[in-house]
Amino acid sequence: MMISWITGGKGFIGRNLARCIATDKCTVFGIGHGFWSAQEPQNWSYSGWMNAEINFSNLNHLASESGLPKFIFHLAGGSAVGPSIQSPYEDFQRTVDTTARLLDWVRQVSPETKVIGVSSAAVYGAGFFEPIKEDVIGYPYSPYGFHKAMLESLFNSYRQTFGLNLSVIRLFSVYGAGLEKQLLWDICNKLEASTNGRILLNGTGNEIRDWLHVADAAKLLWLAAEDKTLNQPFINGGTGLATSIQHVAQAVVGAWGKDFEIDFSGIARKGDPQSLVADITIARSYGFSAGTLLTDGISDFVQWFKARKA
C-alpha cells in the first residue's frame, strides 16, 4: 500500500487532495490543525491524522503509525495576503518554520521520500502583462509572497545540498466549492445581502487572473508526485487562461439567477497586480491539462454556497 502524507491536510486544498488521492492503492495520513469528520473518504486513515504542530516528535509519531511515506504534500502554511499583513510573524512561522522543520526531518529520517511543496503566484509580485514563466525573477509585495519565496528557497537549499527529491508547485487563483474566502465567497455574500439589486467590489474589474479549479490543482499535485521523470524545481499551476475580475463577477451573478448591477470602487489594494496569469508550458509537458471550465466551477460554487446557507 502506497503511503502519502499531507501537511495542512485540513485546509481547502488539502481536503480536496486527500479525497482525490485516497484510493485502494494509496492511504493518506496527515498532520495539521483540526479534526476530520466521518464524511471524509474511507481511505483517509483517521488513526493517522494528527491534530498537531509540524515538528520532529510529531512527525516521528506519525511515521510510527503509517510507516515512512512515499510522498509528502506540503500544504501547511499561510493561505492569504490579508492575514499575513495583519500578523506577519505568525504567517512566517506557519509557512517558513514548518517548511524548515519538515525538510530537516525528511533529510534525517526519510531521505527517499518525494516532497511536493505548494507555493503561490504571489512570489512573482506585480508588473506582468503576459503569462509568467517559472524562470522569471519575481518581487513579492506582501509578507505572504515573501514567505512563500522563503519556502521555495528552503526547497532549493535542501535539494541542492542534500540531493532530496523536492519540487514546488506555484498555484495561481485556486477556487472551488468549500472555499470560504476570497472573490467568489465575497461576491456571493454581497449578492445575498444586497437590498437594492447592486453590489460594490474593490478594484476596477479589469484585473486579470488565472483561475484553477481545486480539482485540477489536486490533479497537478498528484501528477507531480507520480511522474518519475519530473526534474523541475518549480512548476506553475494554472490554466494559462486570462480572465478579468469583471467577467468572473458577471458569471457569479448569472449563476445566482437574478439580475444585479456590479459596481467597482476603482480602488485596488496596494501592490495588487494588474495581471497574474501562468505560463503552463512545463506543466503541459508532463501531461497536465485543466479539466474544469470556469463557468462550470462558478456554477458549482454558487450552488454549494446557497445549499450551505440554506
Side-chain angles (χ1 to χ4, degrees), residues 33 62 75 158 169 184 213-214 243 268 272:
H33 295 292
L62 187 59
L75 279 70
Y158 276 78
I169 308 297
L184 301 189
H213 193 271
V214 68
T243 307
D272 265 2

Side-chain angles (χ1 to χ4, degrees), residues 103-131:
L103 293 182
D104 213 49
W105 181 86
V106 171
R107 175 183 71 85
Q108 296 187 49
V109 180
S110 191
E112 299 303 313
T113 295
K114 186 173 187 178
V115 185
I116 306 297
V118 172
S119 183
S120 165
V123 301
Y124 291 119
F128 300 98
F129 299 95
E130 299 291 336

Side-chain angles (χ1 to χ4, degrees), residues 50-110:
M50 289 190 66
N51 178 29
E53 295 286 344
I54 297 171
N55 57 40
F56 260 71
S57 175
N58 290 334
L59 293 170
N60 282 334
H61 180 75
L62 187 59
S64 72
E65 295 284 331
S66 72
L68 295 179
K70 183 171 184 179
F71 306 128
I72 296 176
F73 299 92
H74 181 46
L75 279 70
S79 60
V81 170
S84 79
I85 294 173
Q86 295 170 2
S87 303
Y89 182 59
E90 179 181 347
D91 191 83
F92 175 88
Q93 289 179 306
R94 294 178 63 187
T95 299
V96 184
D97 273 2
T98 58
T99 300
R101 292 176 197 151
L102 176 68
L103 293 182
D104 213 49
W105 181 86
V106 171
R107 175 183 71 85
Q108 296 187 49
V109 180
S110 191

Side-chain angles (χ1 to χ4, degrees), residues 234-252:
F234 306 112
I235 301 174
N236 281 337
T239 64
L241 301 175
T243 307
S244 71
I245 300 297
Q246 184 175 37
H247 180 89
V248 168
Q250 289 170 341
V252 175

Side-chain angles (χ1 to χ4, degrees), residues 262-292:
I262 306 170
D263 299 319
F264 288 90
S265 69
I267 302 172
R269 184 172 56 188
K270 182 179 179 181
D272 265 2
Q274 176 64 29
S275 176
L276 207 55
V277 179
D279 181 310
I280 60 168
T281 301
I282 292 178
R284 283 194 181 117
S285 73
Y286 289 102
F288 173 73
S289 63
T292 303

